[in-house]
Coordinates of all heavy atoms in Angstrom, one line a residue:
D39 N -0.7 -29.9 -12.7 CA 0.4 -30.8 -12.2 C 1.7 -30.6 -13.1 O 2.8 -30.6 -12.5 CB 0.0 -32.3 -12.5 CG -1.1 -32.7 -11.4 OD1 -1.3 -32.0 -10.4 OD2 -1.8 -33.7 -11.6
E77 N 4.3 -37.2 -17.8 CA 4.2 -38.5 -18.5 C 5.4 -38.7 -19.4 O 6.0 -39.8 -19.5 CB 2.9 -38.7 -19.2 CG 1.7 -38.7 -18.3 CD 1.6 -40.1 -17.5 OE1 2.2 -41.1 -17.9 OE2 0.9 -40.0 -16.4
K111 N 8.8 -40.1 -12.6 CA 8.3 -41.5 -12.5 C 7.3 -41.7 -11.4 O 6.2 -42.3 -11.5 CB 9.4 -42.5 -12.4 CG 10.3 -42.6 -13.7 CD 11.3 -43.6 -13.6 CE 12.3 -43.7 -14.8 NZ 11.9 -43.1 -16.0
L112 N 7.6 -41.1 -10.3 CA 6.7 -41.1 -9.1 C 5.4 -40.4 -9.4 O 4.3 -41.0 -9.1 CB 7.5 -40.5 -7.9 CG 6.6 -40.3 -6.6 CD1 6.5 -41.6 -5.9 CD2 7.2 -39.2 -5.8
L113 N 5.4 -39.1 -9.8 CA 4.3 -38.3 -10.0 C 3.4 -38.9 -11.2 O 2.2 -38.7 -11.1 CB 4.6 -36.9 -10.3 CG 5.4 -36.2 -9.2 CD1 5.9 -34.8 -9.6 CD2 4.5 -36.0 -8.0
A114 N 4.0 -39.6 -12.1 CA 3.2 -40.2 -13.2 C 2.1 -41.3 -12.5 O 1.1 -41.5 -13.1 CB 4.0 -40.9 -14.1
G115 N 2.5 -41.7 -11.4 CA 1.5 -42.7 -10.8 C 0.6 -42.1 -9.9 O -0.4 -42.7 -9.4
W116 N 0.5 -40.7 -9.8 CA -0.4 -40.0 -8.9 C -1.7 -39.8 -9.7 O -1.6 -39.7 -11.0 CB 0.1 -38.7 -8.4 CG 1.2 -38.8 -7.3 CD1 1.9 -40.0 -7.1 CD2 1.7 -37.8 -6.5 NE1 2.8 -39.7 -6.1 CE2 2.7 -38.4 -5.6 CE3 1.2 -36.5 -6.3 CZ2 3.3 -37.6 -4.7 CZ3 2.0 -35.7 -5.3 CH2 2.9 -36.3 -4.5
D117 N -2.8 -39.5 -9.1 CA -4.0 -39.2 -9.9 C -3.9 -37.8 -10.4 O -3.2 -37.0 -9.8 CB -5.1 -39.2 -8.8 CG -5.5 -40.6 -8.3 OD1 -5.2 -41.5 -9.1 OD2 -6.1 -40.7 -7.2
P118 N -4.6 -37.5 -11.5 CA -4.5 -36.2 -12.0 C -5.0 -35.2 -11.0 O -6.0 -35.3 -10.3 CB -5.6 -36.2 -13.2 CG -5.6 -37.6 -13.6 CD -5.4 -38.4 -12.3
G119 N -4.3 -34.1 -10.8 CA -4.6 -32.9 -9.9 C -4.1 -33.3 -8.5 O -4.2 -32.4 -7.7
E120 N -3.5 -34.4 -8.2 CA -3.1 -34.7 -6.9 C -1.8 -33.8 -6.5 O -1.8 -33.4 -5.3 CB -2.7 -36.2 -6.8 CG -2.5 -36.7 -5.4 CD -2.3 -38.3 -5.4 OE1 -2.6 -39.0 -6.4 OE2 -2.0 -38.8 -4.3
L121 N -0.9 -33.6 -7.4 CA 0.2 -32.7 -7.1 C -0.2 -31.3 -6.8 O 0.1 -30.6 -5.8 CB 1.3 -32.7 -8.1 CG 2.5 -31.8 -7.9 CD1 3.3 -32.2 -6.8 CD2 3.4 -31.7 -9.2
D122 N -1.1 -30.8 -7.6 CA -1.7 -29.5 -7.5 C -2.3 -29.4 -6.1 O -2.2 -28.4 -5.4 CB -2.7 -29.2 -8.6 CG -3.2 -27.8 -8.6 OD1 -3.9 -27.3 -7.7 OD2 -3.0 -27.1 -9.6
L124 N -2.0 -31.2 -3.3 CA -1.1 -31.3 -2.3 C -0.3 -30.0 -2.0 O -0.2 -29.5 -0.9 CB -0.1 -32.5 -2.5 CG 1.0 -32.6 -1.4 CD1 0.4 -33.0 -0.1 CD2 2.0 -33.7 -1.8
A156 N 5.6 -33.1 3.6 CA 4.6 -33.8 2.9 C 5.1 -34.4 1.5 O 4.8 -35.6 1.2 CB 3.4 -32.9 2.7
L157 N 5.9 -33.6 0.8 CA 6.4 -34.1 -0.5 C 7.4 -35.2 -0.3 O 7.4 -36.3 -0.9 CB 7.0 -32.9 -1.2 CG 6.1 -31.9 -1.9 CD1 6.8 -30.6 -2.3 CD2 5.3 -32.5 -3.0
R160 N 5.9 -38.5 0.6 CA 5.3 -39.2 -0.6 C 6.3 -39.6 -1.6 O 6.0 -40.2 -2.7 CB 4.3 -38.1 -1.3 CG 3.1 -37.7 -0.5 CD 2.0 -38.8 -0.3 NE 1.6 -39.3 -1.6 CZ 0.5 -38.8 -2.3 NH1 -0.1 -37.7 -1.9 NH2 0.2 -39.2 -3.4
G161 N 7.6 -39.3 -1.2 CA 8.7 -39.9 -2.1 C 9.3 -38.9 -3.1 O 10.3 -39.2 -3.9
V162 N 8.9 -37.6 -3.1 CA 9.5 -36.5 -3.8 C 10.8 -36.2 -3.3 O 11.1 -36.0 -2.2 CB 8.6 -35.3 -4.0 CG1 9.3 -34.2 -4.7 CG2 7.2 -35.7 -4.5

Side-chain angles (χ1 to χ4, degrees):
D39 293 341
E77 293 290 335
K111 288 182 186 345
L112 172 77
L113 295 171
W116 290 19
D117 291 333
E120 195 170 350
L121 178 62
D122 188 298
L124 176 64
L157 288 167
R160 298 285 306 273
V162 176

